[in-house]
Amino acid sequence: MSLLDNKKIRVILFITLIALIFAAGVFCYIMYRPHRDVQRETPVEVTAIGLVDLYQIDESSANLRFLDKAVQVKGVVAEVEINQAGQIVLILAGSDPLSGVRCTLRENKKVLPGAQITLKGKCSGYLSDVILIDCVIVD
Amino acid sequence: MKKSTFLSLVIISGMITSIHAQDIYYTKKGQVSFFSEAPLENIVAHNNEVTSFIDTKKAEIVFSVLIKSFRFEKALMEEHFNTSYLESDKYPKATFNGKVKNPEVVKPEDGAYQVSVEGTLTIHNVSNPLKTTATVIIKNGLLSGMAMFNIRLTDYRIKIPSVVSGNIAEVVEVRVNCEYTPYDRK
C-alpha cells in the first residue's frame, strides 16, 4: 500500500504544495516587482524658476520637499540636448542663466527650445541644475 | 568714477570668458555605471546625469553624481541601494576631486592617452583616496574621458546585511565615461 493512499498524508502534501506555490509567488513578487512609477503618484507642483530658486536658497530644505518625490514642473525649454545614452534632456530655464532644471525624458519626444512645457518626473537632487529623471510631458 | 568701474568690469568679464573658453571643459550628462558580480546575482546600475569639469591648465578634474539618479534593472535593488546601503536621503551626492598626475602625455592631436589620476572619492559621506588610470580620448577636437576602478564597500561604511551577502559583491567595479564640451557659452 502506497503512502499516498492515506488520506491524512494526501491532505498534508496538498497543503504543503499550496504553501510552497504561495511562498514562491511572494518571493517572485518581491524580487521582480516593477519599478516605482512616479507618473502614478500625486506630484508636488512647482515652476522651474521656483524650483531652482528654492534649491539655490537652501539645498537641504529643498531636498526635504522635492528629493525622490514626483515633481511636476512648469517652465520654458531653454535647451534640448541628447545624453550619452541617447535620451532627450530638456533644460528648463531658471531665473539664473547658470542654473535650470534638467529633465531626462522617459521616452524621446521632439521638443523645440522656447516651448512652454509641463513635465512630471522624479527629482534626484541638485548639482549645478536641479535634476529630474524619468520625465513625461504632461502639457 | 562710473566709467572706470564699467571699464574694469569689462576687463574682468573679458578675462573670465577667455579663461573659461580655453581651459575648462564640462559635461552634465556623463555616465557612471557600477557592476557587482556575486555568486547569486550580477547587479548593474547606470547614471546618465553626471556633472564633471576638467581644468586642463591646472590638470584638475571634478565629478558630482546624484545617488538617486542610478537606475537598476530590478526595483528591489534600487530601493535597497537607496534606503539601506547608500542612505541617499541623507547623503544624496557622491563626488570625486582629483588631479591628473601626468597631463603632459595628452597631446592636442587626435588619439587615446593613458593618464594617472589621483584624488578623493566621497561616497556615503565617507572620503577615501583614489588612484586610478584613465583614458583621455581626443577626436575631432572633442575631449572624452574613461576610467574603471574598484571600490570596497566597507571603505565607505556601506553595510550589506549577511542575509543578502551572497547577492552583493564586497568589491564593486565603477566605470566612468564622459564626453566633454568646452565651457564657453555660460
Side-chain angles (χ1 to χ4, degrees):
Chain A
M1 211 170 108
S2 152
L3 272 174
L4 280 174
D5 290 340
N6 185 319
K7 204 179 174 193
K8 229 182 192 169
I9 289 181
R10 276 206 335 243
V11 169
I12 289 170
L13 272 177
F14 182 71
I15 290 171
T16 316
L17 193 69
I18 296 291
L20 276 176
I21 291 172
F22 182 73
V26 169
F27 178 79
C28 286
Y29 174 75
I30 292 173
M31 286 306 288
Y32 299 101
R33 90 186 121 92
H35 277 270
R36 160 190 175 194
D37 185 2
V38 284
Q39 302 306 330
R40 291 164 71 175
E41 297 172 17
T42 315
V44 188
E45 290 183 41
V46 66
T47 62
I49 289 171
L51 186 59
V52 173
D53 285 349
L54 285 167
Y55 263 101
Q56 286 189 329
I57 293 163
D58 184 350
E59 191 178 335
S60 51
S61 68
N63 269 336
L64 285 177
R65 244 174 104 177
F66 301 108
L67 186 66
D68 209 30
K69 303 265 177 16
V71 174
Q72 185 162 309
V73 65
K74 188 176 181 179
V76 175
V77 179
E79 276 175 81
V80 180
E81 294 182 1
I82 294 178
N83 73 13
Q84 291 176 213
Q87 298 165 303
I88 289 182
V89 181
L90 305 179
I91 297 106
L92 306 188
S95 52
D96 174 354
L98 289 173
S99 185
V101 183
R102 294 184 70 89
C103 310
T104 309
L105 296 189
R106 179 189 282 186
E107 280 162 21
N108 282 359
K109 274 233 170 77
K110 206 175 166 190
V111 180
L112 296 173
Q116 170 91 34
I117 206 166
T118 305
L119 291 157
K120 188 174 169 187
K122 183 188 98 169
C123 177
S124 59
Y126 180 73
L127 293 173
S128 51
D129 302 284
V130 183
I131 312 286
L132 298 191
I133 60 172
D134 210 15
C135 293
V136 168
I137 298 167
V138 177
D139 186 22
Chain B
M1 188 64 179
K2 250 188 178 168
K3 209 173 181 182
S4 66
T5 328
F6 176 72
L7 251 176
S8 58
L9 263 178
V10 168
I11 293 167
I12 289 169
S13 61
M15 274 164 59
I16 291 169
T17 40
S18 71
I19 289 167
H20 281 180
Q22 260 128 63
D23 312 318
I24 299 184
Y25 291 81
Y26 83 109
T27 180
K28 291 183 176 182
K29 43 193 181 187
Q31 288 180 315
V32 169
S33 305
F34 67 80
F35 300 82
S36 151
E37 282 180 21
L40 294 179
E41 193 162 41
N42 292 339
I43 298 172
V44 184
H46 302 286
N47 186 324
N48 292 315
E49 286 89 15
V50 175
T51 292
S52 173
F53 284 84
I54 297 181
D55 183 329
T56 53
K57 202 162 227 166
K58 295 184 190 154
E60 283 173 355
I61 183 157
V62 293
F63 289 90
S64 304
V65 177
L66 290 170
I67 302 301
K68 287 191 191 289
S69 267
F70 278 102
R71 310 308 306 273
F72 290 69
E73 189 196 333
K74 288 183 193 158
L76 185 74
M77 292 170 182
E78 197 167 303
E79 210 178 287
H80 282 175
F81 172 79
N82 279 294
T83 53
S84 321
Y85 309 148
L86 272 286
E87 300 175 89
S88 61
D89 282 327
K90 258 196 277 177
Y91 315 116
K93 284 178 202 174
T95 56
F96 176 78
N97 288 289
K99 271 199 115 135
V100 176
K101 298 313 268 183
N102 53 342
E104 67 284 350
V105 302
V106 182
K107 303 284 182 291
E109 58 261 31
D110 284 10
Y113 308 95
Q114 294 285 328
V115 294
S116 75
V117 177
E118 277 181 45
T120 307
L121 180 63
T122 306
I123 303 173
H124 195 224
N125 211 28
V126 180
S127 298
N128 282 302
L130 178 80
K131 241 188 200 182
T132 182
T133 54
T135 309
V136 173
I137 295 165
I138 292 176
K139 202 179 168 191
N140 305 325
L142 293 174
L143 176 74
S144 53
M146 280 185 280
M148 207 152 90
F149 53 87
N150 291 327
I151 56 166
R152 185 171 291 278
L153 297 181
T154 50
D155 289 347
Y156 296 89
R157 287 192 221 120
I158 298 166
K159 285 189 209 101
I160 307 295
S162 53
V163 196
V164 290
S165 61
N167 302 53
I168 298 164
E170 275 172 45
V171 172
V172 168
E173 182 184 292
V174 179
R175 288 186 206 165
V176 182
N177 180 8
C178 289
E179 294 165 5
Y180 294 88
T181 37
Y183 191 75
D184 54 1
R185 282 172 304 159
K186 292 176 181 176

